[in-house]
Amino acid sequence: DAGITQSPRHKVTETGTPVTLRCHQTENHRYMYWYRQDPGHGLRLIHYSYGVKDTDKGEVSDGYSVSRSKTEDFLLTLESATSSQTSVYFCAISEFTSRGEQYFGPGTRLTVT
Amino acid sequence: ILNVEQSPQSLHVQEGDSTNFTCSFPSSNFYALHWYRWETAKSPEALFVMTLNGDEKKKGRISATLNTKEGYSYLYIKGSQPEDSATYLCAFMKTSYDKVIFGPGTSLSVIP
């Protein structure tokens, strides 16, 4: 299994609070991604990174920001959580160009009350 | 917005049956198509990465074909087993600068 961990694995938070999710990899892969999984929508890309300090938006980036200060860590921040951001969040990595297969972390279940 | 579709949405087959499902994507530009297998309570796992028209990939009882000119890929499972029960996702990239767009998935249940 690719060395990807996500923390926390579960979180319950209140509307309006900031939340940061962490993705950590030990594979030294260049590309890292954040997805959310919702019923009826499959996986939707939030943000991705193609190198340290190089990030770009995905299809559902509103309300989220990311940072990548080290190759191994990709942080997803919800500046002010809303109930619509209740979801399961997956981090993924890939090695070479984005033609490469993606390896997924175990997921973080976030509930915003 | 790029539309990646999968059909059927769900499928129930008997153990030993062979099955197939479809991923449809825009045929105007093509860079890559991925297939993933996603078991309940686990993370998606890559099955195939397909990049050329006419590509055929095989892993055990699972195989996939790609037609970029008409915009579809088929995933076949021969002799389905209960452990094949999962959601199968395809993911499409239009160009090297585009993001991967996942389809909604096909949920397969194999009945013993």
Side-chain angles (χ1 to χ4, degrees), chain A residues 15-98:
Chain A
T15 298
T17 59
V19 176
T20 295
L21 308 182
R22 180 183 183 231
C23 177
H24 179 78
Q25 59 144 330
T26 58
E27 306 296 321
N28 201 36
H29 283 3
R30 178 180 176 185
Y31 295 85
M32 298 185 76
Y33 310 84
W34 277 108
Y35 294 92
R36 59 178 290 174
Q37 179 220 349
D38 303 293
H41 290 281
L43 286 171
R44 292 183 292 174
L45 182 65
I46 304 171
H47 282 279
Y48 71 104
S49 169
Y50 47 96
V52 173
K53 297 188 180 177
D54 291 324
T55 65
D56 201 356
K57 296 179 180 179
E59 59 183 313
V60 290
S61 58
D62 288 347
Y64 302 94
S65 62
V66 289
S67 66
R68 192 170 178 199
S69 58
K70 298 184 289 185
T71 299
E72 57 265 35
D73 289 326
F74 193 31
L75 304 180
L76 177 71
T77 298
L78 291 65
E79 301 290 346
S80 177
T82 67
S83 58
S84 65
Q85 293 175 311
T86 292
S87 187
V88 180
Y89 291 85
F90 285 95
C91 173
I93 64 174
S94 63
E95 185 174 8
F96 299 114
T97 69
S98 39

Side-chain angles (χ1 to χ4, degrees), chain A residues 45 57 98-100 102 105, chain B residues 31 34 36 38 43 49 93 99:
Chain A
L45 182 65
K57 296 179 180 179
S98 39
R99 270 188 180 178
Q102 295 187 15
Chain B
Y31 186 70
H34 302 183
Y36 292 84
W38 194 359
S43 304
V49 175
M93 290 184 63
K99 299 86 175 174

Side-chain angles (χ1 to χ4, degrees), chain B residues 37-92:
Chain B
R37 180 171 177 270
W38 194 359
E39 292 181 72
T40 303
K42 293 189 178 180
S43 304
E45 291 182 347
L47 287 171
F48 305 115
V49 175
M50 310 182 82
T51 57
L52 297 174
N53 185 44
D55 257 357
E56 294 187 16
K57 303 269 184 171
K58 186 174 182 182
K59 187 180 287 189
R61 293 179 291 99
I62 304 176
S63 60
T65 61
L66 177 67
N67 184 324
T68 61
K69 295 186 189 305
E70 296 183 39
Y72 64 84
S73 176
Y74 292 141
L75 189 78
Y76 301 91
I77 302 178
K78 184 178 177 182
S80 301
Q81 299 297 308
E83 58 265 31
D84 295 328
S85 297
T87 295
Y88 292 83
L89 299 171
C90 67
F92 168 72

